[in-house]
Amino acid sequence: DAKTTQPTSMDCAEGRAANLPCNHSTISGNEYVYWYRQIHSQGPQYIIHGLKNNETNEMASLIITEDRKSSTLILPHATLRDTAVYYCIAPEGGTSYGKLTFGQGTILTVHP
Amino acid sequence: EAGVAQSPRYKIIEKRQSVAFWCNPISGHATLYWYQQILGQGPKLLIQFQNNGVVDDSQLPKDRFSAERLKGVDSTLKIQPAKLEDSAVYLCASSSAVWNQETQYFGPGTRLLVL
């Protein structure tokens, strides 16, 4: 997998946008960027993924830089329930079909 | 749509005992994964099945861990004998395996404590 680098922790006020950065400077042209999150005592949950273009769904927006070396996950109106560990992953294509390698992730704490 | 089911949710055993975990993936999902998550770390892939065949088991400690997916649906992960360092959450995930666009859906996990 392409190596990803994320801040260890971040804070966000409830109702404000949470912007979680991720660096993936070694990503190759056919590798998607995936975001998952893990709320305490639960299994990871898929959030969003993208290749080149910005993506938006009901949970979040994903902004990928033009050179694809970094991306930002945006939770537009964070709630207390968004407190979780957020993982940015660039799964390797080719022979590692579908394999996700989780790093340490970013611990996002949303406070009142 | 029912999610990924796992049982048991919690298990406490003594070292050198055996333990088995069960996973029922989302209906129709061809790919099934087992992950190990040690406290404070991200999940680590142990084994990946495509239908009932093993795609990747490179990180499975084969001297003590085994897994099977009979009939390409349910799966069982076994540890025999367990060691203290096997204390972790064991997560099962499944996906529908569309090339490079697949989303993995995770179960709630089985929390194992080895004493």
Side-chain angles (χ1 to χ4, degrees):
Chain A
D1 292 11
K3 179 175 172 58
T4 60
T5 305
Q6 300 177 252
T8 302
S9 63
M10 295 183 65
D11 288 334
C12 178
E14 189 177 21
R16 304 297 293 269
N19 298 291
L20 290 87
C22 178
N23 288 322
H24 32 78
S25 58
T26 61
I27 198 169
S28 64
N30 66 345
E31 291 177 347
Y32 283 72
V33 178
Y34 282 75
W35 284 83
Y36 282 75
R37 74 178 183 183
Q38 188 170 23
I39 296 170
H40 183 63
S41 296
Q42 297 183 21
Q45 176 191 26
Y46 165 80
I47 301 173
I48 198 168
H49 73 283
L51 183 62
K52 295 180 181 179
N53 301 318
N54 298 336
E55 302 287 346
T56 295
N57 63 21
E58 64 278 3
M59 290 183 68
S61 294
L62 175 60
I63 308 298
I64 303 174
T65 58
E66 193 168 343
D67 62 8
R68 301 192 69 240
K69 292 185 177 182
S70 66
S71 60
T72 301
L73 179 75
I74 301 172
L75 308 178
H77 306 286
T79 70
L80 299 180
R81 288 191 298 270
D82 293 321
T83 293
V85 180
Y86 287 77
Y87 297 100
C88 169
I89 304 166
E92 181 180 341
T95 58
S96 297
Y97 177 81
K99 179 178 177 179
L100 297 179
T101 300
F102 289 83
Q104 295 287 93
T106 296
I107 301 171
L108 175 67
T109 303
V110 181
H111 50 85
Chain B
E1 178 183 78
V4 176
Q6 291 188 247
S7 67
R9 291 296 311 277
Y10 305 92
K11 191 73 177 179
I12 301 174
I13 61 173
E14 294 187 349
K15 61 183 179 184
R16 291 188 288 273
Q17 285 187 323
S18 302
V19 65
F21 313 125
W22 174 82
C23 173
N24 180 234
I26 292 174
S27 177
H29 279 191
T31 309
L32 185 147
Y33 311 80
W34 282 102
Y35 289 84
Q36 179 193 58
Q37 186 171 24
I38 293 172
L39 187 65
Q41 300 180 17
K44 181 185 82 170
L45 179 69
L46 292 176
I47 188 167
Q48 176 184 347
F49 291 94
Q50 181 79 7
N51 296 309
N52 60 351
V54 175
V55 174
D56 183 353
D57 63 357
S58 57
Q59 298 195 84
L60 186 74
K62 299 180 187 63
D63 57 333
R64 297 184 300 106
F65 287 65
S66 65
E68 60 182 10
R69 192 183 183 198
L70 300 176
K71 301 181 181 179
V73 182
D74 294 4
S75 178
T76 303
L77 177 69
K78 297 180 181 177
I79 308 175
Q80 181 179 12
K83 293 185 175 181
L84 297 178
E85 59 261 36
D86 298 332
S87 293
V89 176
Y90 291 85
L91 295 159
C92 178
S94 70
S95 71
S96 59
V98 176
W99 175 262
N100 223 6
Q101 297 238 16
E102 59 178 59
T103 297
Q104 294 187 24
Y105 297 86
F106 286 79
T110 296
R111 191 173 300 270
L112 173 68
L113 178 61
V114 182
L115 302 175

Short mmCIF file of all heavy atoms in Angstrom, two decimals, chain A residues 30-32 34 36 38 40-46 49 51 87 91-104, chain B residues 9 31 33 35 37 40-43 45 48 50 55-56 58-59 91 97-108 111:
data_model
loop_
_atom_site.label_atom_id
_atom_site.label_comp_id
_atom_site.label_asym_id
_atom_site.label_seq_id
_atom_site.Cartn_x
_atom_site.Cartn_y
_atom_site.Cartn_z
N ASN A 30 -3.25 4.38 -10.11
CA ASN A 30 -4.48 3.60 -10.05
C ASN A 30 -4.92 3.28 -8.63
O ASN A 30 -5.81 2.44 -8.42
CB ASN A 30 -4.33 2.31 -10.85
CG ASN A 30 -3.30 1.38 -10.23
OD1 ASN A 30 -2.51 1.79 -9.38
ND2 ASN A 30 -3.31 0.14 -10.64
N GLU A 31 -4.30 3.89 -7.66
CA GLU A 31 -4.65 3.61 -6.26
C GLU A 31 -5.65 4.63 -5.74
O GLU A 31 -5.41 5.83 -5.79
CB GLU A 31 -3.40 3.62 -5.38
CG GLU A 31 -2.47 2.44 -5.64
CD GLU A 31 -1.21 2.50 -4.80
OE1 GLU A 31 -0.93 3.56 -4.21
OE2 GLU A 31 -0.52 1.48 -4.74
N TYR A 32 -6.75 4.12 -5.26
CA TYR A 32 -7.76 4.97 -4.66
C TYR A 32 -7.35 5.37 -3.25
O TYR A 32 -6.52 4.72 -2.61
CB TYR A 32 -9.10 4.23 -4.59
CG TYR A 32 -9.83 4.15 -5.91
CD1 TYR A 32 -9.39 3.33 -6.93
CD2 TYR A 32 -10.99 4.89 -6.12
CE1 TYR A 32 -10.07 3.27 -8.14
CE2 TYR A 32 -11.67 4.83 -7.31
CZ TYR A 32 -11.21 4.02 -8.32
OH TYR A 32 -11.89 3.96 -9.51
N TYR A 34 -9.07 5.71 0.40
CA TYR A 34 -10.24 5.32 1.17
C TYR A 34 -10.16 5.94 2.58
O TYR A 34 -9.08 6.09 3.15
CB TYR A 34 -10.31 3.80 1.36
CG TYR A 34 -10.81 3.03 0.17
CD1 TYR A 34 -10.01 2.83 -0.95
CD2 TYR A 34 -12.08 2.48 0.17
CE1 TYR A 34 -10.47 2.11 -2.04
CE2 TYR A 34 -12.55 1.76 -0.91
CZ TYR A 34 -11.74 1.57 -2.01
OH TYR A 34 -12.21 0.85 -3.08
N TYR A 36 -11.95 5.32 6.36
CA TYR A 36 -12.79 4.57 7.28
C TYR A 36 -12.71 5.25 8.65
O TYR A 36 -11.75 5.97 8.94
CB TYR A 36 -12.29 3.13 7.42
CG TYR A 36 -12.65 2.21 6.29
CD1 TYR A 36 -11.97 2.29 5.07
CD2 TYR A 36 -13.65 1.26 6.43
CE1 TYR A 36 -12.30 1.43 4.02
CE2 TYR A 36 -13.99 0.40 5.38
CZ TYR A 36 -13.31 0.50 4.19
OH TYR A 36 -13.64 -0.34 3.16
N GLN A 38 -13.55 4.42 13.02
CA GLN A 38 -13.86 3.40 14.01
C GLN A 38 -14.27 4.09 15.30
O GLN A 38 -13.44 4.70 15.98
CB GLN A 38 -12.66 2.48 14.24
CG GLN A 38 -13.00 1.28 15.10
CD GLN A 38 -11.88 0.25 15.14
OE1 GLN A 38 -10.72 0.57 14.89
NE2 GLN A 38 -12.22 -1.00 15.44
N HIS A 40 -15.54 3.94 19.12
CA HIS A 40 -15.12 3.09 20.23
C HIS A 40 -15.97 1.83 20.35
O HIS A 40 -17.20 1.89 20.34
CB HIS A 40 -15.18 3.90 21.53
CG HIS A 40 -14.70 3.12 22.71
ND1 HIS A 40 -13.40 2.67 22.83
CD2 HIS A 40 -15.34 2.70 23.81
CE1 HIS A 40 -13.27 2.03 23.97
NE2 HIS A 40 -14.43 2.04 24.59
N SER A 41 -15.28 0.67 20.43
CA SER A 41 -15.91 -0.63 20.63
C SER A 41 -16.75 -1.10 19.44
O SER A 41 -17.58 -2.01 19.59
CB SER A 41 -16.78 -0.64 21.89
OG SER A 41 -15.97 -0.45 23.02
N GLN A 42 -16.55 -0.50 18.28
CA GLN A 42 -17.23 -0.95 17.08
C GLN A 42 -16.22 -1.32 16.01
O GLN A 42 -15.03 -0.99 16.12
CB GLN A 42 -18.16 0.14 16.54
CG GLN A 42 -19.28 0.53 17.47
CD GLN A 42 -20.22 1.57 16.86
OE1 GLN A 42 -20.28 1.73 15.65
NE2 GLN A 42 -20.95 2.27 17.71
N GLY A 43 -16.68 -2.01 14.97
CA GLY A 43 -15.82 -2.29 13.83
C GLY A 43 -15.66 -1.05 12.97
O GLY A 43 -16.48 -0.13 13.04
N PRO A 44 -14.62 -0.98 12.16
CA PRO A 44 -14.46 0.16 11.26
C PRO A 44 -15.66 0.32 10.33
O PRO A 44 -16.31 -0.66 9.97
CB PRO A 44 -13.18 -0.18 10.47
CG PRO A 44 -12.42 -1.10 11.38
CD PRO A 44 -13.48 -1.90 12.08
N GLN A 45 -15.91 1.56 9.94
CA GLN A 45 -17.03 1.90 9.08
C GLN A 45 -16.53 2.66 7.88
O GLN A 45 -15.77 3.63 8.03
CB GLN A 45 -18.03 2.75 9.86
CG GLN A 45 -19.21 3.26 9.05
CD GLN A 45 -20.00 4.31 9.81
OE1 GLN A 45 -19.49 5.01 10.69
NE2 GLN A 45 -21.28 4.46 9.47
N TYR A 46 -16.91 2.24 6.70
CA TYR A 46 -16.53 2.94 5.48
C TYR A 46 -17.15 4.33 5.45
O TYR A 46 -18.32 4.51 5.83
CB TYR A 46 -17.00 2.14 4.27
CG TYR A 46 -16.98 2.90 2.95
CD1 TYR A 46 -15.80 3.08 2.24
CD2 TYR A 46 -18.15 3.46 2.45
CE1 TYR A 46 -15.80 3.77 1.04
CE2 TYR A 46 -18.15 4.16 1.25
CZ TYR A 46 -16.97 4.31 0.55
OH TYR A 46 -16.97 5.01 -0.63
N HIS A 49 -14.51 7.14 -0.65
CA HIS A 49 -13.26 6.91 -1.34
C HIS A 49 -13.25 7.71 -2.64
O HIS A 49 -14.31 8.13 -3.13
CB HIS A 49 -13.02 5.42 -1.60
CG HIS A 49 -13.88 4.81 -2.67
ND1 HIS A 49 -15.20 4.48 -2.46
CD2 HIS A 49 -13.60 4.46 -3.94
CE1 HIS A 49 -15.70 3.95 -3.55
NE2 HIS A 49 -14.76 3.93 -4.48
N LEU A 51 -10.53 8.73 -6.39
CA LEU A 51 -9.32 8.52 -7.18
C LEU A 51 -8.66 9.85 -7.54
O LEU A 51 -7.53 10.10 -7.19
CB LEU A 51 -9.66 7.73 -8.44
CG LEU A 51 -8.48 7.37 -9.34
CD1 LEU A 51 -7.49 6.47 -8.61
CD2 LEU A 51 -8.97 6.69 -10.62
N TYR A 87 -9.24 6.62 9.67
CA TYR A 87 -8.13 6.00 8.94
C TYR A 87 -8.18 6.41 7.47
O TYR A 87 -9.21 6.28 6.81
CB TYR A 87 -8.22 4.48 9.00
CG TYR A 87 -8.11 3.87 10.38
CD1 TYR A 87 -9.25 3.48 11.08
CD2 TYR A 87 -6.87 3.68 10.97
CE1 TYR A 87 -9.15 2.91 12.34
CE2 TYR A 87 -6.76 3.10 12.24
CZ TYR A 87 -7.90 2.71 12.90
OH TYR A 87 -7.80 2.14 14.15
N PRO A 91 -5.17 1.55 -0.67
CA PRO A 91 -4.93 0.12 -0.90
C PRO A 91 -4.14 -0.11 -2.17
O PRO A 91 -4.35 0.55 -3.19
CB PRO A 91 -6.33 -0.47 -1.03
CG PRO A 91 -7.26 0.56 -0.53
CD PRO A 91 -6.59 1.87 -0.74
N GLU A 92 -3.26 -1.06 -2.12
CA GLU A 92 -2.45 -1.41 -3.27
C GLU A 92 -3.29 -2.18 -4.28
O GLU A 92 -4.04 -3.08 -3.92
CB GLU A 92 -1.27 -2.27 -2.83
CG GLU A 92 -0.34 -2.69 -3.93
CD GLU A 92 0.79 -3.53 -3.41
OE1 GLU A 92 1.05 -3.48 -2.20
OE2 GLU A 92 1.41 -4.24 -4.20
N GLY A 93 -3.17 -1.80 -5.51
CA GLY A 93 -3.88 -2.53 -6.55
C GLY A 93 -3.07 -3.75 -6.94
O GLY A 93 -2.23 -4.23 -6.21
N GLY A 94 -3.25 -4.26 -8.08
CA GLY A 94 -2.49 -5.41 -8.54
C GLY A 94 -2.74 -6.63 -7.70
O GLY A 94 -3.87 -7.01 -7.46
N THR A 95 -1.70 -7.25 -7.19
CA THR A 95 -1.84 -8.52 -6.50
C THR A 95 -2.44 -8.37 -5.11
O THR A 95 -2.89 -9.34 -4.53
CB THR A 95 -0.48 -9.21 -6.36
OG1 THR A 95 0.40 -8.34 -5.64
CG2 THR A 95 0.13 -9.51 -7.71
N SER A 96 -2.44 -7.18 -4.57
CA SER A 96 -3.03 -7.00 -3.24
C SER A 96 -4.46 -6.52 -3.36
O SER A 96 -4.88 -5.57 -2.70
CB SER A 96 -2.19 -6.01 -2.43
OG SER A 96 -0.91 -6.51 -2.22
N TYR A 97 -5.17 -7.17 -4.20
CA TYR A 97 -6.56 -6.84 -4.50
C TYR A 97 -7.38 -6.66 -3.24
O TYR A 97 -7.58 -7.59 -2.47
CB TYR A 97 -7.13 -7.97 -5.35
CG TYR A 97 -8.58 -7.84 -5.71
CD1 TYR A 97 -8.98 -7.02 -6.75
CD2 TYR A 97 -9.56 -8.56 -5.03
CE1 TYR A 97 -10.31 -6.91 -7.10
CE2 TYR A 97 -10.89 -8.45 -5.37
CZ TYR A 97 -11.25 -7.63 -6.41
OH TYR A 97 -12.57 -7.53 -6.77
N GLY A 98 -7.84 -5.44 -3.04
CA GLY A 98 -8.75 -5.18 -1.95
C GLY A 98 -8.14 -5.13 -0.58
O GLY A 98 -8.84 -4.94 0.40
N LYS A 99 -6.84 -5.29 -0.45
CA LYS A 99 -6.24 -5.35 0.88
C LYS A 99 -6.14 -3.96 1.48
O LYS A 99 -5.67 -3.03 0.85
CB LYS A 99 -4.84 -5.96 0.77
CG LYS A 99 -4.08 -6.06 2.07
CD LYS A 99 -2.74 -6.73 1.82
CE LYS A 99 -1.89 -6.78 3.08
NZ LYS A 99 -0.60 -7.45 2.83
N LEU A 100 -6.63 -3.82 2.71
CA LEU A 100 -6.53 -2.57 3.44
C LEU A 100 -5.47 -2.69 4.51
O LEU A 100 -5.51 -3.63 5.29
CB LEU A 100 -7.88 -2.22 4.09
CG LEU A 100 -9.08 -1.98 3.19
CD1 LEU A 100 -10.32 -1.69 4.04
CD2 LEU A 100 -8.83 -0.83 2.25
N THR A 101 -4.54 -1.76 4.53
CA THR A 101 -3.55 -1.71 5.59
C THR A 101 -3.83 -0.50 6.46
O THR A 101 -3.65 0.64 6.01
CB THR A 101 -2.13 -1.64 5.01
OG1 THR A 101 -1.90 -2.80 4.20
CG2 THR A 101 -1.09 -1.60 6.12
N PHE A 102 -4.29 -0.75 7.66
CA PHE A 102 -4.65 0.33 8.57
C PHE A 102 -3.41 0.81 9.32
O PHE A 102 -2.63 0.01 9.84
CB PHE A 102 -5.67 -0.16 9.60
CG PHE A 102 -7.05 -0.41 9.04
CD1 PHE A 102 -7.35 -1.59 8.41
CD2 PHE A 102 -8.05 0.55 9.18
CE1 PHE A 102 -8.61 -1.83 7.90
CE2 PHE A 102 -9.32 0.33 8.67
CZ PHE A 102 -9.60 -0.86 8.04
N GLY A 103 -3.23 2.14 9.38
CA GLY A 103 -2.18 2.72 10.21
C GLY A 103 -2.75 3.05 11.57
O GLY A 103 -3.69 2.39 12.04
N GLN A 104 -2.18 4.07 12.20
CA GLN A 104 -2.64 4.47 13.52
C GLN A 104 -3.88 5.35 13.45
O GLN A 104 -4.64 5.43 14.41
CB GLN A 104 -1.53 5.23 14.25
CG GLN A 104 -0.30 4.39 14.55
CD GLN A 104 -0.56 3.40 15.67
OE1 GLN A 104 -0.93 2.25 15.43
NE2 GLN A 104 -0.40 3.82 16.90
N ARG B 9 -19.30 -12.34 21.17
CA ARG B 9 -18.82 -10.96 21.26
C ARG B 9 -17.64 -10.84 22.19
O ARG B 9 -16.77 -10.00 22.00
CB ARG B 9 -19.95 -10.03 21.73
CG ARG B 9 -21.07 -9.84 20.72
CD ARG B 9 -20.58 -9.14 19.44
NE ARG B 9 -19.80 -7.95 19.70
CZ ARG B 9 -20.31 -6.76 19.94
NH1 ARG B 9 -21.62 -6.59 19.96
NH2 ARG B 9 -19.52 -5.72 20.16
N THR B 31 -16.17 -11.86 -0.92
CA THR B 31 -14.89 -11.73 -0.24
C THR B 31 -15.10 -11.57 1.26
O THR B 31 -15.95 -10.80 1.70
CB THR B 31 -14.11 -10.53 -0.79
OG1 THR B 31 -14.05 -10.60 -2.21
CG2 THR B 31 -12.68 -10.53 -0.25
N TYR B 33 -12.89 -11.26 5.07
CA TYR B 33 -11.61 -10.95 5.69
C TYR B 33 -11.70 -11.20 7.19
O TYR B 33 -12.73 -10.94 7.82
CB TYR B 33 -11.25 -9.48 5.50
CG TYR B 33 -11.38 -8.94 4.09
CD1 TYR B 33 -12.61 -8.57 3.56
CD2 TYR B 33 -10.25 -8.75 3.29
CE1 TYR B 33 -12.73 -8.05 2.29
CE2 TYR B 33 -10.36 -8.22 2.02
CZ TYR B 33 -11.60 -7.88 1.52
OH TYR B 33 -11.70 -7.35 0.26
N TYR B 35 -9.49 -9.82 10.52
CA TYR B 35 -8.47 -8.89 11.00
C TYR B 35 -8.26 -9.12 12.51
O TYR B 35 -9.17 -9.52 13.23
CB TYR B 35 -8.94 -7.43 10.82
CG TYR B 35 -9.00 -6.93 9.41
CD1 TYR B 35 -10.10 -7.17 8.60
CD2 TYR B 35 -7.95 -6.17 8.88
CE1 TYR B 35 -10.17 -6.67 7.31
CE2 TYR B 35 -8.01 -5.66 7.59
CZ TYR B 35 -9.12 -5.92 6.81
OH TYR B 35 -9.17 -5.43 5.53
N GLN B 37 -7.06 -6.85 15.81
CA GLN B 37 -6.79 -5.49 16.26
C GLN B 37 -6.35 -5.52 17.72
O GLN B 37 -7.16 -5.77 18.62
CB GLN B 37 -8.00 -4.59 16.10
CG GLN B 37 -7.71 -3.13 16.44
CD GLN B 37 -8.83 -2.19 16.08
OE1 GLN B 37 -9.99 -2.58 15.99
NE2 GLN B 37 -8.52 -0.92 15.85
N GLY B 40 -4.99 -0.19 20.83
CA GLY B 40 -4.20 0.98 20.48
C GLY B 40 -3.63 0.96 19.07
O GLY B 40 -2.96 1.91 18.66
N GLN B 41 -3.90 -0.11 18.32
CA GLN B 41 -3.40 -0.22 16.96
C GLN B 41 -4.56 -0.32 15.96
O GLN B 41 -5.70 -0.61 16.34
CB GLN B 41 -2.50 -1.45 16.82
CG GLN B 41 -1.28 -1.44 17.72
CD GLN B 41 -0.43 -2.68 17.55
OE1 GLN B 41 -0.55 -3.41 16.57
NE2 GLN B 41 0.45 -2.92 18.51
N GLY B 42 -4.23 -0.10 14.69
CA GLY B 42 -5.23 -0.33 13.65
C GLY B 42 -5.38 -1.81 13.37
O GLY B 42 -4.52 -2.62 13.73
N PRO B 43 -6.48 -2.21 12.74
CA PRO B 43 -6.67 -3.63 12.40
C PRO B 43 -5.59 -4.13 11.46
O PRO B 43 -5.13 -3.40 10.58
CB PRO B 43 -8.04 -3.64 11.72
CG PRO B 43 -8.73 -2.41 12.19
CD PRO B 43 -7.66 -1.39 12.37
N LEU B 45 -4.73 -7.30 8.78
CA LEU B 45 -5.34 -8.39 8.04
C LEU B 45 -4.64 -9.71 8.38
O LEU B 45 -3.41 -9.81 8.32
CB LEU B 45 -5.23 -8.13 6.55
CG LEU B 45 -5.81 -9.23 5.65
CD1 LEU B 45 -7.33 -9.29 5.78
CD2 LEU B 45 -5.42 -9.02 4.19
N GLN B 48 -7.66 -13.44 3.91
CA GLN B 48 -8.68 -12.98 2.97
C GLN B 48 -9.14 -14.17 2.13
O GLN B 48 -8.32 -14.89 1.56
CB GLN B 48 -8.12 -11.89 2.06
CG GLN B 48 -9.08 -11.41 0.98
CD GLN B 48 -8.43 -10.40 0.05
OE1 GLN B 48 -7.36 -9.87 0.33
NE2 GLN B 48 -9.10 -10.09 -1.06
N GLN B 50 -11.72 -15.43 -1.07
CA GLN B 50 -12.57 -15.11 -2.21
C GLN B 50 -13.41 -16.36 -2.43
O GLN B 50 -12.88 -17.40 -2.83
CB GLN B 50 -11.72 -14.77 -3.44
CG GLN B 50 -12.52 -14.42 -4.66
CD GLN B 50 -13.06 -12.99 -4.64
OE1 GLN B 50 -12.70 -12.22 -3.74
NE2 GLN B 50 -13.88 -12.63 -5.59
N VAL B 55 -7.13 -16.06 -0.61
CA VAL B 55 -6.43 -15.12 -1.49
C VAL B 55 -5.12 -14.67 -0.86
O VAL B 55 -4.10 -14.56 -1.54
CB VAL B 55 -7.32 -13.90 -1.79
CG1 VAL B 55 -6.55 -12.84 -2.57
CG2 VAL B 55 -8.57 -14.31 -2.52
N ASP B 56 -5.15 -14.41 0.45
CA ASP B 56 -3.98 -13.90 1.14
C ASP B 56 -4.02 -14.35 2.58
O ASP B 56 -4.97 -14.04 3.30
CB ASP B 56 -3.97 -12.37 1.06
CG ASP B 56 -2.73 -11.74 1.70
OD1 ASP B 56 -1.93 -12.46 2.33
OD2 ASP B 56 -2.55 -10.51 1.56
N SER B 58 -0.81 -14.31 4.26
CA SER B 58 0.61 -14.09 4.53
C SER B 58 0.88 -13.64 5.96
O SER B 58 1.98 -13.82 6.47
CB SER B 58 1.16 -13.05 3.55
OG SER B 58 0.44 -11.83 3.64
N GLN B 59 -0.10 -13.04 6.63
CA GLN B 59 0.11 -12.57 7.99
C GLN B 59 -0.59 -13.44 9.03
O GLN B 59 -0.70 -13.04 10.20
CB GLN B 59 -0.33 -11.11 8.12
CG GLN B 59 0.47 -10.18 7.21
CD GLN B 59 0.30 -8.72 7.59
OE1 GLN B 59 0.98 -8.21 8.47
NE2 GLN B 59 -0.63 -8.06 6.95
N LEU B 91 -11.85 -9.03 14.09
CA LEU B 91 -12.87 -8.42 13.26
C LEU B 91 -13.04 -9.21 11.97
O LEU B 91 -12.07 -9.62 11.34
CB LEU B 91 -12.47 -6.98 12.89
CG LEU B 91 -12.37 -5.99 14.03
CD1 LEU B 91 -11.51 -4.81 13.65
CD2 LEU B 91 -13.76 -5.51 14.43
N ALA B 97 -16.47 -7.19 -3.75
CA ALA B 97 -15.33 -7.46 -4.63
C ALA B 97 -15.47 -6.91 -6.04
O ALA B 97 -15.30 -7.62 -7.02
CB ALA B 97 -15.04 -8.95 -4.69
N VAL B 98 -15.77 -5.64 -6.15
CA VAL B 98 -15.68 -4.97 -7.44
C VAL B 98 -14.29 -4.36 -7.51
O VAL B 98 -13.90 -3.62 -6.62
CB VAL B 98 -16.75 -3.86 -7.59
CG1 VAL B 98 -16.57 -3.12 -8.91
CG2 VAL B 98 -18.13 -4.48 -7.50
N TRP B 99 -13.53 -4.66 -8.54
CA TRP B 99 -12.11 -4.29 -8.61
C TRP B 99 -11.85 -2.84 -8.24
O TRP B 99 -12.39 -1.92 -8.83
CB TRP B 99 -11.59 -4.57 -10.02
CG TRP B 99 -10.21 -4.11 -10.23
CD1 TRP B 99 -9.80 -2.95 -10.81
CD2 TRP B 99 -9.02 -4.77 -9.79
NE1 TRP B 99 -8.43 -2.87 -10.77
CE2 TRP B 99 -7.92 -3.96 -10.17
CE3 TRP B 99 -8.77 -5.98 -9.13
CZ2 TRP B 99 -6.61 -4.34 -9.90
CZ3 TRP B 99 -7.46 -6.34 -8.88
CH2 TRP B 99 -6.41 -5.52 -9.26
N ASN B 100 -10.99 -2.69 -7.26
CA ASN B 100 -10.47 -1.39 -6.83
C ASN B 100 -11.54 -0.40 -6.39
O ASN B 100 -11.28 0.77 -6.26
CB ASN B 100 -9.62 -0.78 -7.95
CG ASN B 100 -8.35 -0.18 -7.39
OD1 ASN B 100 -8.05 -0.31 -6.21
ND2 ASN B 100 -7.61 0.50 -8.22
N GLN B 101 -12.74 -0.86 -6.24
CA GLN B 101 -13.79 0.03 -5.78
C GLN B 101 -14.54 -0.59 -4.62
O GLN B 101 -15.60 -0.14 -4.26
CB GLN B 101 -14.80 0.30 -6.92
CG GLN B 101 -14.21 1.01 -8.10
CD GLN B 101 -14.93 2.31 -8.40
OE1 GLN B 101 -15.67 2.82 -7.58
NE2 GLN B 101 -14.73 2.83 -9.58
N GLU B 102 -13.93 -1.61 -4.03
CA GLU B 102 -14.72 -2.33 -3.05
C GLU B 102 -14.70 -1.64 -1.70
O GLU B 102 -13.72 -1.06 -1.26
CB GLU B 102 -14.22 -3.75 -2.90
CG GLU B 102 -12.77 -3.87 -2.49
CD GLU B 102 -12.43 -5.33 -2.34
OE1 GLU B 102 -12.58 -6.06 -3.32
OE2 GLU B 102 -12.03 -5.73 -1.24
N THR B 103 -15.85 -1.72 -1.07
CA THR B 103 -16.01 -1.23 0.29
C THR B 103 -16.11 -2.44 1.20
O THR B 103 -16.83 -3.38 0.91
CB THR B 103 -17.31 -0.41 0.40
OG1 THR B 103 -17.20 0.73 -0.45
CG2 THR B 103 -17.55 0.03 1.83
N GLN B 104 -15.37 -2.41 2.28
CA GLN B 104 -15.44 -3.50 3.25
C GLN B 104 -16.40 -3.12 4.37
O GLN B 104 -16.35 -2.02 4.90
CB GLN B 104 -14.05 -3.81 3.81
CG GLN B 104 -13.11 -4.37 2.75
CD GLN B 104 -11.79 -4.83 3.32
OE1 GLN B 104 -11.70 -5.15 4.50
NE2 GLN B 104 -10.77 -4.89 2.48
N TYR B 105 -17.26 -4.07 4.71
CA TYR B 105 -18.22 -3.89 5.79
C TYR B 105 -17.79 -4.77 6.96
O TYR B 105 -17.63 -5.97 6.79
CB TYR B 105 -19.63 -4.26 5.32
CG TYR B 105 -20.13 -3.38 4.21
CD1 TYR B 105 -19.84 -3.66 2.88
CD2 TYR B 105 -20.89 -2.24 4.50
CE1 TYR B 105 -20.28 -2.83 1.85
CE2 TYR B 105 -21.34 -1.41 3.48
CZ TYR B 105 -21.03 -1.72 2.15
OH TYR B 105 -21.47 -0.90 1.15
N PHE B 106 -17.63 -4.14 8.11
CA PHE B 106 -17.09 -4.83 9.26
C PHE B 106 -18.17 -5.24 10.24
O PHE B 106 -19.17 -4.52 10.42
CB PHE B 106 -16.08 -3.94 10.00
CG PHE B 106 -14.77 -3.80 9.29
CD1 PHE B 106 -14.63 -2.94 8.22
CD2 PHE B 106 -13.67 -4.54 9.70
CE1 PHE B 106 -13.41 -2.81 7.56
CE2 PHE B 106 -12.45 -4.41 9.06
CZ PHE B 106 -12.32 -3.55 7.99
N GLY B 107 -17.94 -6.36 10.89
CA GLY B 107 -18.78 -6.76 12.00
C GLY B 107 -18.34 -6.09 13.28
O GLY B 107 -17.36 -5.33 13.28
N PRO B 108 -19.04 -6.36 14.39
CA PRO B 108 -18.71 -5.70 15.65
C PRO B 108 -17.45 -6.24 16.32
O PRO B 108 -16.90 -5.59 17.21
CB PRO B 108 -19.94 -5.98 16.52
CG PRO B 108 -20.48 -7.27 15.97
CD PRO B 108 -20.20 -7.24 14.50
N ARG B 111 -14.08 -9.80 21.14
CA ARG B 111 -13.00 -9.36 22.03
C ARG B 111 -12.49 -10.57 22.80
O ARG B 111 -13.22 -11.18 23.57
CB ARG B 111 -13.52 -8.29 22.98
CG ARG B 111 -12.44 -7.56 23.76
CD ARG B 111 -13.06 -6.40 24.54
NE ARG B 111 -13.71 -5.44 23.67
CZ ARG B 111 -13.12 -4.40 23.13
NH1 ARG B 111 -11.84 -4.17 23.35
NH2 ARG B 111 -13.79 -3.57 22.35
#
